[in-house]
Amino acid sequence: MSTFGHRSAKRRRKAPQAYSYVSSEEQRYLQQAIRNSKLDVKRGNGELDVPHAPTFFPTVEEMEGNPLDYIEKIRPIAQQYGICKIIPPKGWSPPFCVNMESNL
């Protein structure tokens, strides 16, 4: 009888090996990180005090022409948060920006 493709019924799992290449300083840092992570779980109610990102409501006049000009205008405010939301005005339709004559 062939044992090809047949697993042994008594398969043993090897015990994890200790990392022998970790220096004592690295071991100290690892233990400190574990202690700190346990502290983080116990802190507060789990909520972060993250400020809301600004939301901008431009007018049709501000969005006419090149919308990137408006984005450049609000950049100093938005950069402080790393993100912002721009709600386009009702009735504004973005310009069609695809060059249909390009071969790309």
Side-chain angles (χ1 to χ4, degrees):
M1 178 183 229
S2 174
T3 60
F4 180 73
H6 180 50
R7 293 184 177 169
S8 172
K10 292 187 177 185
R11 195 170 205 191
R12 292 185 186 177
R13 180 177 285 191
K14 291 182 182 179
Q17 296 178 353
Y19 295 107
S20 59
Y21 59 88
V22 177
S23 70
S24 62
E25 184 179 11
E26 289 174 325
Q27 185 66 27
R28 254 192 348 263
Y29 286 138
L30 177 62
Q31 294 302 320
Q32 183 64 45
I34 291 170
R35 284 192 297 274
N36 290 345
S37 69
K38 290 177 182 177
L39 285 176
D40 285 342
V41 172
K42 296 177 185 176
R43 289 184 191 159
N45 58 3
E47 293 182 20
L48 297 175
D49 186 27
V50 178
H52 291 281
T55 302
F56 296 94
F57 299 90
T59 63
V60 175
E61 292 78 25
E62 289 175 317
M63 294 296 281
E64 281 181 356
N66 189 356
L68 294 177
D69 291 338
Y70 178 74
I71 293 171
E72 190 62 37
K73 179 178 144 186
I74 65 169
R75 179 188 297 263
I77 299 168
Q79 272 185 327
Q80 294 173 6
Y81 295 88
I83 191 169
C84 74
K85 184 176 185 179
I86 301 173
I87 307 290
K90 290 185 178 183
W92 179 73
S93 107
F96 190 66
C97 296
V98 176
N99 183 358
M100 299 301 289
E101 296 180 15
S102 175
N103 290 334
L104 297 177

